[in-house]
Amino acid sequence: MTRLVAVLLLLSPLAAAHKWLREKAPSMTLDQDYLYTKAQARAFVGAQHWWESGFYADKGLSEHYDGYFCLCTCSATPEGIFCKGNGVQPSGQKVADFLGVFSESFGGESWEGDLVAYGTDTPFADKFSFQAPGSAANYTGVSQSLDEQSFVWRGRMSGVDCGAKDHCVEACGGEDAFREWYDACP
């Protein structure tokens, strides 16, 4: 009987903590009962204008250059929103292909994400923070193992914007999700 009381006393604070988590942070409970939605995934799809400044080991500081961020397709899972897309220079030249994952931050008051670039001679990764799917974002990027071509940058994105749609048509090819977004733009 004494052991049973001791075990119950040990478990009592854990039960209280679990109850507090379920009440205060419903999107991050211990049993993960929150699911990301198709509507949230669709909100990421589209074109965004980006501006950034970067410091390059071989070139030095480069200030306020721009391009376009094209998320062509996104899918919702219980763990987050997974996307595929491209970066495009104002000239239309593709910078890189991207894979990204986005999720609500703890407490559900903002969002964050990570992106990895591939299909480029200068691979990099970006970390994003923003208020809602498809909204304006800030990001920080770092190169991956480029020695004398290493770089870091900091930038911001406009949020999904129909005004930038034509910059991503070629990059997103025939992706259905992008085409649906494009066709819904004025």
Side-chain angles (χ1 to χ4, degrees), residues 36-38 40-42 44-45 71-85 98-103 111-116 177:
Y36 293 95
T37 68
K38 288 180 182 178
Q40 289 170 324
R42 279 192 303 271
F44 282 98
V45 174
L71 285 181
C72 307
T73 186
C74 295
S75 299
T77 74
E79 292 74 30
I81 307 289
F82 291 83
C83 299
K84 184 175 182 183
F98 299 144
L99 296 176
V101 60
F102 305 96
S103 63
W111 285 68
E112 57 195 18
D114 291 288
L115 175 140
V116 62

Side-chain angles (χ1 to χ4, degrees), residues 101-106 110-114 127-130:
V101 60
F102 305 96
S103 63
E104 281 188 295
S105 60
F106 188 73
S110 62
W111 285 68
E112 57 195 18
D114 291 288
K127 183 143 203 70
F128 293 83
S129 60
F130 46 99

